[in-house]
Amino acid sequence: SDPQRLNKTQTCFLSSCSSMVIISLYVLPCEPVNETVSVEKEGCPKCLVFQTSICSGHCLTKEPVYRSPFSMVYQHVCTYRDVRYETIHLPDCPPGVDPHVTFPVALSCDCSLCTMDTSDCTIESLNPDFCMTPRSYLYS
């Protein structure tokens, strides 16, 4: 046997590794990024739009070739690892309506299962700066 020659398994493994390296050159890693987001609250007439740090980027996932009704497939998503919570004041809220809204600020991110407490885990969601009420901008 020739030691210079690779068997089929090694060749396939090396081929998929080089594809992963090429893919990783073109996709953004899972990391905190600055994004324009909005918050609004029932009873307050305005939506506040501002910049904060959220998690965004690519996570490697696997799709099974054969799906069995008895097997569970868990996909990892780019989500918060460490967060700091900040509170902002919504403008023009009437008396009796608490104008404060608390939101997570991404300090670090990780590819893991989606946590509904801090992340939007839907397949298709609204843009992060979507508003139902008139906009008010917070510039920092």
Side-chain angles (χ1 to χ4, degrees):
S1 101
D2 183 359
Q4 299 284 333
R5 221 170 134 190
L6 298 173
N7 68 33
K8 284 184 181 179
T9 304
Q10 290 169 320
T11 305
C12 289
F13 175 74
L14 290 175
S15 173
S16 67
C17 284
S18 65
S19 296
M20 288 175 71
V21 170
I22 291 169
I23 289 170
S24 68
L25 294 175
Y26 295 106
V27 296
L28 298 174
C30 176
E31 62 187 4
V33 297
N34 286 329
E35 181 67 59
T36 302
V37 299
S38 65
V39 293
E40 52 193 336
K41 191 172 194 177
E42 190 172 333
C44 295
K46 291 186 180 169
C47 170
L48 189 60
V49 180
F50 58 97
Q51 286 257 319
T52 189
S53 181
I54 67 168
C55 289
S56 181
H58 180 76
C59 295
L60 291 178
T61 59
K62 296 178 183 178
E63 185 70 23
V65 175
Y66 172 75
R67 288 188 185 186
S68 164
F70 304 109
S71 66
M72 299 293 281
V73 176
Y74 298 102
Q75 300 288 7
H76 287 155
V77 297
C78 183
T79 189
Y80 298 95
R81 183 184 329 150
D82 296 311
V83 296
R84 173 184 73 237
Y85 288 93
E86 291 187 3
T87 301
I88 58 170
H89 181 98
L90 291 174
D92 303 329
C93 293
V97 176
D98 180 8
H100 299 97
V101 176
T102 301
F103 61 95
V105 176
L107 300 176
S108 64
C109 304
D110 195 18
C111 290
S112 60
L113 296 178
C114 194
T115 305
M116 294 291 287
D117 294 341
T118 57
S119 302
D120 180 359
C121 301
T122 59
I123 293 172
E124 288 187 39
S125 62
L126 300 171
N127 288 334
D129 63 345
F130 177 81
C131 289
M132 297 280 291
T133 55
R135 293 169 173 251
S136 179
Y137 293 89
L138 177 68
Y139 299 102
S140 50

